[in-house]
Amino acid sequence: MKTKNALRAKPFGILLVLLFLTSCYSVRFKTVEGVPKPDPFSERNDYFRDMMVVEKDTVINMGVVDKDFTMLIDDCADDGLHTVEYRNTFGGILLNAVTFGRKRQVRLKYVCMKPSN
């Protein structure tokens, strides 16, 4: 009997692992014009190496009838945005599902453009 239960649990475990792997992704938008604001003291080893990165990790509350949400990025008001990265995780998807879409986890990284002289 134990082998039958183990065989039934195996596809569920594989499905759960695939769900974890496919539910974590990043989307990055980058402009081809301009130069990113440098950060000479940065010790990052990822894509944002030598760039001054601003990270925002927050949970937004939306009403049932709301269809969109606007988050203002006023750090780059005069210079503009160079790169924006949006990250989605399994925890964010679970939070969205458990609260029926009322709460969403937002993870943003963005880099402003270097001011032109």
Side-chain angles (χ1 to χ4, degrees), residues 1 95 103:
M1 289 303 268
L95 178 67
K103 292 188 178 193

Side-chain angles (χ1 to χ4, degrees), residues 98-109:
V98 168
T99 60
F100 300 106
R102 290 189 186 131
K103 292 188 178 193
R104 297 187 184 177
Q105 186 176 16
V106 177
R107 291 185 177 185
L108 284 177
K109 292 181 187 176

Side-chain angles (χ1 to χ4, degrees), residues 58-69:
T58 186
V59 175
I60 58 172
N61 295 316
M62 296 180 64
V64 177
V65 294
D66 294 337
K67 295 187 182 198
D68 62 353
F69 179 84

Side-chain angles (χ1 to χ4, degrees), residues 54 56 60 69-77 81 108 110:
V54 179
K56 294 198 178 195
I60 58 172
F69 179 84
T70 302
M71 179 183 283
L72 298 177
I73 300 175
D74 56 355
D75 301 342
C76 306
L81 289 169
L108 284 177
Y110 60 90

